[in-house]
Amino acid sequence: MRQNARWELAAEDPAQVQALAEALRDVSCLASIASNRTADPGRRNPLHTLARLLLRRGLTDADSAARFLAPCVDHLHLPGQMTGLRCAVDRIDAAIERKDPILIYGDYDVDGTMAVIILKTAIELCGGTADFHVPHRIREGYDMRDDVIEAAAAAGIRLIISVDMGIRAFAPAETAHRLGVDLIVTDHHLPGSDGVPKAHAVVNPNQSGCDYPYKQLCGAGVAFKVAQGLMQRRLPEKDQTRLLLSFMKVVAIATIADAVPLTGENRVFASLGLDALRRAVNPGLKALLEVAQISNKRPPSSSEVAFRIAPRINAAGRMDIARDVIELFSVKDSDRARLLAGKLDRLNGERQEEERRILRSIDERIAGDPALCEAYCIVIDGEGWHRGVIGIAATRIVERYHRPAMVISRDGEEAHGSGRSIRPFHLLEAVESSSGLFTRYGGHSHACGFAMPSANVARLRAELDAFARTRLTASDFDPVLDVEAELDLTEITPALFQVLSLLEPYGAGNHEPAFSARNVRLIASPKILKDKHIKLKLKANGNAGGEELRTEKRELRTVFDALGWNMAERLQQSPLLAGDAIDIAFTIGHNHHPDFGGLELSLRDFKISLPENLTDAPIRAEKPVPVAPQ
């Protein structure tokens, strides 16, 4: 079912690119590149390539480019601009003054637990007392519950603050009001058509009438803005910047893990937070970085956060109890911190093994079932599959087979499911087309979750496949690889890599740029690494001068190692020989090994080069792909 990707090369306006490239010469963080006068007349300056990438991200002038390339604390918006935030801070401030206890009600994932940590710590720094409740994924499920609010009221709690949840908690808001408890809802999820709950205050940049300049915050980002407003109210100004930078380590983890766009204010969080992680002093955070094998010699990348740190935090909520995460970030004893971090590491190992077990079963089912092989929407179920893992399993199916997927865990007469989708298919619309089959459901265009009677699974499979066939064609299952620019290998220089590093951190809304190079020459037989990966040695075609092309002022490197992760099977399908000419799609990285480090390419795809009149070079998009607003 997997097919090679179709390459699409971003369209561009050459005059606009040239104008922005010239304007970038006056941007301070690019001064060293702009002053480099050694570029060959026939080669593009790295600023030209940077201009193409910035325009692709919706940045059309030097001022917006400068803010994007050099984020700083001053770029944060005033928290009071967010509807409901001042009212929320007033109520929290009053509780602190009266020494009333506060309960923070958070979600069990990375975003929710980080939001709890941020707000709990800020309240305590400001002199207040805060406890928290994080629901158990299996026993309680997502969002607020009446019985938790009732228990809190019975214990004397008069202020509850939700984080990363609550925007549709209408019944719990009524319960809180009836019991004399003030409820502050802080959330980032989209409100429904029926508005927002009747709470003491609702803080959500996406609610109707809110003029906050940036709408894409995660739940921890919204909690950070509440904490920022509270600290501005109660703490000396000299302490605020230091504390905000400290909180950014935590909000950066949540922002990256929640896959919100790394643009605007989120980019400030991620950039400054990743840099601050290198200097972590919190015992729990240091222990977590250690078990995740994150070095403190350089800031961690967004990929390291997404694939090493976040899964270990998420594992607590998926496999056990998320309270351990809050304790890990709160504990002062290093030995206790290492013990808790070790537990999260073990839970993540259990999560990985459960994921592998489910995926093996799924692959066997798909291989042995012609109907599943041909399905336009894959719906697959299993008895007793762990509900904390089925969402990850759905993501893996989409990656492998490039079509919408629903993974369902049956537990007797009840079933719970999680779905993921591809770009052309709106998953929530599909779910709503079969709404009568569910006891509850929710989601958005690319992800959903639901509960239903197990007896309805077969009918759901049939209905979703029929619905998908009215919305999709076979060509929609062809993966698309967005290529941002064509490069010659001689353009890949340390100066270009220095420029590209300013685009980091990468993530949703700011993906690592992929480039293409046509008709490059394979100068040695491919190597297979660990039976899974490949390593190619490539040279710009037409260079007869060996590995280095020398000019009067410097050397231009023309030979590069290119690593293709998990591409050994591709090599079996499309064998390559020394001397072959190929087209490659790739990203540019740096190997930090002291002996054989340096610039290297990471392959995204490769194709045998065809004669010029038959070339299947990247298809040029008719217009730039829209990007998230800044």
Side-chain angles (χ1 to χ4, degrees):
M1 294 171 71
R2 290 194 68 176
Q3 302 178 37
N4 294 342
R6 182 176 75 251
W7 302 3
E8 288 193 353
L9 182 63
E12 62 183 44
D13 179 341
Q16 194 178 23
V17 171
Q18 186 59 38
L20 181 57
E22 289 297 326
L24 291 177
R25 292 183 176 277
D26 296 325
V27 175
S28 59
C29 63
L30 298 172
S32 62
I33 304 297
S35 63
N36 184 354
R37 302 297 181 184
T38 61
D40 290 340
R43 291 199 315 132
R44 284 186 289 252
N45 186 287
L47 294 186
H48 186 277
T49 299
L50 179 61
R52 299 163 80 184
L53 302 178
L54 291 172
L55 287 167
R56 174 93 163 125
R57 287 154 178 75
L59 304 161
T60 59
D61 60 83
D63 288 342
S64 61
R67 288 177 67 89
F68 185 86
L69 297 172
C72 68
V73 173
D74 292 342
H75 294 166
L76 295 176
H77 302 299
L78 295 174
Q81 293 177 273
M82 196 176 295
T83 297
L85 192 140
R86 290 179 181 174
C87 179
V89 169
D90 287 344
R91 181 63 182 87
I92 299 169
D93 185 54
I96 293 172
E97 283 294 316
R98 294 197 296 260
K99 300 189 182 304
D100 291 341
I102 301 168
L103 179 69
I104 303 171
Y105 199 138
D107 193 14
Y108 40 66
D109 66 359
V110 177
D111 193 16
T113 53
M114 297 301 99
V116 170
I117 290 161
I118 289 167
L119 200 52
K120 181 176 186 294
T121 304
I123 289 171
E124 290 169 350
L125 285 170
C126 291
T129 302
D131 198 358
F132 65 93
H133 176 79
V134 177
H136 189 282
R137 178 188 289 265
I138 307 300
R139 293 194 295 267
E140 296 179 65
Y142 176 76
D143 221 342
M144 307 183 75
R145 290 168 55 106
D146 288 348
D147 57 342
V148 176
I149 294 173
E150 290 165 354
I157 298 292
R158 291 294 172 261
L159 174 60
I160 297 176
I161 309 170
S162 79
V163 291
D164 191 33
M165 62 165 60
I167 200 61
R168 301 195 184 199
F170 294 95
E174 291 178 3
T175 297
H177 180 73
R178 174 173 54 82
L179 296 173
V181 175
D182 289 333
L183 174 64
I184 297 173
V185 172
T186 78
D187 201 352
H188 70 119
H189 296 100
L190 296 177
S193 58
D194 42 2
V196 300
K198 294 180 179 179
H200 182 85
V202 176
V203 184
N204 184 333
N206 292 302
Q207 65 181 302
S208 177
C210 182
D211 295 327
Y212 194 71
Y214 190 74
K215 304 292 187 181
Q216 286 82 31
L217 299 176
C218 67
V222 177
F224 176 92
K225 301 309 296 187
V226 175
Q228 184 184 5
L230 181 64
M231 291 190 295
Q232 286 177 351
R233 177 80 60 89
R234 295 192 64 89
L235 297 181
E237 186 175 351
K238 63 182 178 65
D239 295 333
Q240 291 175 25
T241 298
R242 173 180 60 83
L243 291 171
L244 288 178
L245 286 172
S246 179
F247 281 127
M248 278 191 200
K249 296 191 290 288
V250 180
V251 76
I253 293 172
T255 297
I256 293 167
D258 214 51
V260 289
L262 296 189
T263 58
E265 203 162 31
N266 285 341
R267 181 168 172 81
V268 178
F269 294 151
S271 180
L272 300 186
L274 288 175
D275 185 64
L277 278 171
R278 182 176 48 173
R279 300 177 295 277
V281 296
N282 178 282
L285 184 53
K286 288 176 67 175
L288 182 61
L289 294 173
E290 287 174 10
V291 298
Q293 299 181 334
I294 304 292
S295 169
N296 62 0
K297 294 181 180 178
R298 57 180 175 81
S301 67
S302 54
S303 293
E304 287 175 318
V305 169
F307 297 109
R308 294 192 192 179
I309 298 174
R312 288 170 168 83
I313 296 173
N314 253 336
R318 291 185 186 280
M319 308 300 291
D320 193 41
I321 302 173
R323 290 187 65 92
D324 288 337
V325 175
I326 290 90
E327 184 184 351
L328 173 66
F329 280 76
S330 305
V331 71
K332 304 302 181 185
D333 178 69
S334 297
D335 290 337
R336 177 63 179 165
R338 282 191 290 271
L339 187 68
L340 288 166
K343 179 180 179 181
L344 297 188
D345 193 48
R346 289 191 300 276
L347 288 172
N348 189 51
E350 293 174 14
R351 188 271 307 170
Q352 291 172 323
E353 181 53 41
E354 180 66 8
E355 177 188 333
R356 284 190 288 267
R357 185 182 73 83
I358 293 173
L359 286 173
R360 281 195 299 268
S361 179
I362 289 172
D363 285 339
E364 291 170 1
R365 292 265 296 279
I366 291 176
D369 188 337
L372 280 174
C373 288
E374 300 301 324
Y376 275 41
C377 180
I378 297 173
V379 177
I380 195 160
D381 62 298
E383 184 70 31
W385 285 350
H386 198 294
R387 284 162 51 187
V389 178
I390 55 176
I392 303 173
T395 298
R396 298 290 181 262
I397 295 174
V398 174
E399 291 171 351
R400 291 185 187 186
Y401 302 103
H402 204 73
R403 56 193 64 201
M406 302 278 196
V407 178
I408 299 172
S409 171
R410 287 183 285 103
D411 183 11
E413 296 181 356
E414 187 176 25
H416 295 82
S418 188
R420 300 294 184 268
S421 193
I422 57 177
R423 190 183 301 178
F425 191 66
H426 197 294
L427 199 58
L428 186 57
E429 286 183 1
V431 169
E432 288 174 334
S433 73
S434 296
S435 59
L437 300 180
F438 306 107
T439 52
R440 55 185 172 85
Y441 67 88
H444 49 77
S445 61
H446 284 82
C448 72
F450 55 85
M452 65 190 306
S454 295
N456 290 351
V457 171
R459 186 175 164 191
L460 177 68
R461 182 178 293 111
E463 290 189 9
L464 287 185
D465 187 59
F467 180 87
R469 289 176 186 272
T470 68
R471 298 294 195 275
L472 298 170
T473 64
S475 63
D476 290 320
F477 304 139
D478 296 335
V480 175
L481 175 59
D482 291 322
V483 176
E484 297 207 41
E486 283 188 3
L487 293 178
D488 188 275
L489 292 192
T490 59
E491 295 180 78
I492 302 172
T493 63
L496 177 62
F497 183 74
Q498 180 184 348
V499 162
L500 294 179
S501 67
L502 295 174
L503 295 175
E504 297 183 37
Y506 299 125
N510 181 40
H511 292 287
E512 183 176 9
F515 303 97
S516 64
R518 296 175 56 193
N519 200 31
V520 300
R521 187 69 62 180
L522 188 64
I523 64 172
S525 297
K527 292 183 178 179
I528 305 292
L529 307 177
K530 298 183 178 178
D531 297 324
K532 295 191 298 183
H533 316 303
I534 64 173
K535 183 177 182 180
L536 309 181
K537 191 171 285 291
L538 302 172
K539 182 179 70 171
N541 210 358
N543 280 324
E547 290 213 8
E548 303 286 347
L549 173 66
R550 297 179 183 275
T551 68
E552 264 183 42
K553 296 185 178 179
R554 73 193 183 289
E555 295 178 341
L556 296 180
R557 182 177 176 185
T558 63
V559 170
F560 288 90
D561 289 334
L563 300 178
W565 304 106
N566 297 304
M567 283 191 175
E569 185 178 345
R570 278 285 312 278
L571 202 60
Q572 293 172 357
Q573 298 169 354
S574 305
L576 297 176
L577 301 173
D580 282 348
I582 61 175
D583 300 339
I584 59 172
F586 59 93
T587 58
I588 302 171
H590 190 282
N591 187 328
H592 295 279
H593 194 282
D595 297 325
F596 49 82
L599 296 179
E600 65 182 13
L601 312 182
S602 181
L603 286 179
R604 300 287 300 278
D605 200 2
F606 65 86
K607 302 176 181 180
I608 300 294
S609 295
L610 298 178
E612 191 64 30
N613 61 334
L614 296 175
T615 183
D616 63 343
I619 300 170
R620 289 191 176 272
E622 293 182 1
K623 58 183 179 180
V625 177
V627 297
Q630 301 301 304

